[in-house]
């Protein structure tokens, strides 16, 4: 063997360093621990939420309270099915050494995975928007809400949302848009870089726009609800026990709504913004797959792929956090937080009895709301 020249050795070392950087940048984010942990925590949280909602739904006689419970139950059920239908597939691919072809030689499973991701992702967003609209109407227009928001209407609205989202998600199956295998080859989602595929640009942009629109609706309605609660709380200001209860409930509800908005912002904005960016640059996460390209992906593309994987995991994390921010942590954390806040602000709380939750306040009988 001939001795390598200094220039060849330098070039070889440079290539080796770049290869190591690429591997280290991707291997840290590619682990079966993520899908297993997310599946288990998602199943536990959403199952607890469903049991609590079912128990409360059977006890409630007020249809308006049942309407809100239907929304929460639908969100929890959607998130649970989203975890159950996708996580086992991801885990199976990891067990197959990240080789999707071993479990899906026909490619039909990839299309199914993409439909599930799109359906349950958009359903979660629009169910959250429906609940935000419901809360805003209950606070700003209690009489109209009492006369028009029946349980049957809530069921119809939720069914329409599900049907429309499912219809949209099936468009790639009909030839409009395309679901493709994404980096690191363990999941399928909307292709963002294949403009030659008929309708793919329309489908991918529409998904991102619908997601952003849903977030804007949720944020706007929550702001309206917070404003309405604060105004009503001010009109009841005083030293009576009732006014102090309203002050506490208003604080708890505002904290909860702010938590919901923060979770939605953190979980969904990175994915939606990154999708629009990748669409504009005609970049797709599947460009990182070594089996589909004959060249080594550039460092910029690899960074986008890792970021896209992180963004989709954040969006999936929303399905895990939903039952906690909407229901489970309400009584556990918020009341303790408010007690500390009241102590700091020297606002004593005289009553020791349990007060109604914000869910009861938002769904009071018209006779109760007249006095607010």
């Amino acid at each position: 063997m001939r001795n390598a020249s200094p220039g060849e050795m330098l070039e070889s070392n440079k290539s080796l360093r770049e290869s190591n950087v690429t591997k280290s940048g991707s291997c840290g984010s590619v682990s079966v621990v993520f899908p297993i942990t997310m599946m288990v925590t998602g199943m536990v949280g959403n199952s607890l939420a469903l049991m609590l909602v079912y128990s409360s739904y059977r006890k409630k006689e007020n249809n308006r309270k049942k309407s809100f419970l239907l929304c929460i139950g639908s969100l929890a059920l959607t998130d649970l099915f989203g975890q159950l239908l996708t996580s086992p597939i991801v885990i199976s691919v990891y067990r197959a050494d990240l080789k999707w072809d071993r479990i899906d030689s026909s490619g039909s499973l990839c299309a199914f995975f993409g439909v599930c991701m799109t359906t349950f992702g958009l359903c979660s967003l629009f169910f959250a928007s429906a609940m935000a609209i419901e809360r805003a109407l209950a606070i700003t227009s209690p009489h109209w809400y009492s006369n028009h928001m029946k349980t049957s209407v809530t069921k119809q609205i939720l069914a329409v949302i599900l049907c429309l989202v499912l219809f949209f998600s099936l468009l790639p199956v009909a030839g409009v848009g395309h679901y493709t295998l994404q980096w690191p080859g363990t999941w399928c989602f909307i292709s963002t870089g294949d403009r030659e595929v008929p309708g793919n640009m329309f489908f991918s942009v529409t998904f991102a726009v619908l997601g952003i629109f849903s977030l804007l609706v949720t944020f706007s309605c929550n702001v309206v609800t917070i404003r309405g609660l604060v105004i009503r709380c001010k009109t009841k200001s005083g030293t009576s026990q009732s006014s102090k209860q309203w002050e506490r409930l208003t604080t708890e509800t505002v904290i909860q709504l702010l938590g919901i908005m923060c979770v939605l912002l953190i979980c969904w904005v990175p994915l939606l913004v990154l999708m629009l960016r990748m669409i504009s640059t005609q970049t797709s996460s599947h460009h990182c797959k070594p089996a589909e390209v004959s060249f080594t992906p550039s460092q910029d593309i690899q960074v986008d792929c890792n970021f896209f994987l992180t963004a989709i995991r954040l969006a999936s994390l929303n399905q895990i956090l939903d039952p906690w921010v909407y229901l489970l942590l309400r009584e556990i954390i918020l009341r303790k937080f408010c007690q500390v806040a009241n102590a700091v602000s020297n606002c004593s709380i005289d009553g020791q009895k349990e007060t109604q939750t914000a869910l009861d306040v938002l769904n009071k009988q018209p006779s109760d709301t007249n006095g607010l």
Side-chain angles (χ1 to χ4, degrees), residues 64 137-150 232 364-372:
R64 294 191 302 161
L137 290 175
I139 289 297
T140 59
S141 305
H143 297 290
W144 184 94
Y145 179 90
S146 175
N147 294 329
H148 295 84
M149 284 302 296
K150 309 298 181 182
R232 287 170 180 260
K364 276 190 173 183
Q365 295 288 350
S367 59
D368 294 329
T369 55
N370 290 336
L372 301 182

Side-chain angles (χ1 to χ4, degrees), residues 109-250:
L109 188 61
C110 184
F112 171 78
F113 196 100
V115 170
C116 289
M117 292 285 289
T118 305
T119 301
F120 294 115
L122 286 180
C123 276
S124 296
L125 285 173
F126 280 104
F127 285 166
S129 298
M131 282 189 288
I133 295 173
E134 195 268 355
R135 282 190 299 265
L137 290 175
I139 289 297
T140 59
S141 305
H143 297 290
W144 184 94
Y145 179 90
S146 175
N147 294 329
H148 295 84
M149 284 302 296
K150 309 298 181 182
T151 305
S152 58
V153 175
T154 304
K155 293 179 180 179
Q156 292 173 4
I157 293 174
L158 295 175
V160 168
I161 291 175
L162 178 60
C163 291
L164 291 177
V165 170
L166 182 60
F167 173 79
F168 174 77
S169 302
L170 290 173
L171 287 180
V173 180
V176 181
H178 181 54
Y179 292 120
T180 185
L181 193 61
Q182 306 286 340
W183 168 259
T186 57
W187 59 293
C188 292
F189 195 54
I190 302 170
S191 174
T192 56
D194 297 330
R195 294 195 176 186
E196 64 277 5
V197 177
N200 191 65
M201 177 66 64
F202 163 79
F203 183 71
S204 55
V205 171
T206 303
F207 175 86
V209 171
L210 286 175
I212 293 174
F213 171 76
S214 175
L215 291 177
L216 290 176
V217 170
T218 303
F219 276 49
S220 301
C221 290
N222 284 343
V223 170
V224 170
T225 301
I226 292 174
R227 181 177 178 273
L229 283 172
V230 172
I231 292 176
R232 287 170 180 260
C233 185
K234 289 181 178 179
T235 60
K236 291 183 65 66
S237 61
T239 59
S240 64
Q241 180 66 23
S242 175
S243 63
K244 291 180 179 179
Q245 288 182 358
W246 248 107
E247 183 179 338
R248 176 195 294 183
L249 291 171
T250 299

Side-chain angles (χ1 to χ4, degrees), residues 249-283:
L249 291 171
T250 299
T251 304
E252 291 180 0
T253 305
V254 169
I255 294 171
Q256 186 182 31
L257 294 180
L258 290 176
I260 291 172
M261 291 190 287
C262 289
V263 168
L264 288 173
L265 181 69
I266 294 172
C267 290
W268 277 102
V269 170
L271 175 63
L272 299 175
V273 172
L274 183 61
M275 281 190 68
L276 292 177
R277 176 180 176 275
M278 296 178 74
I279 292 169
S280 64
T281 58
Q282 301 185 42
T283 304

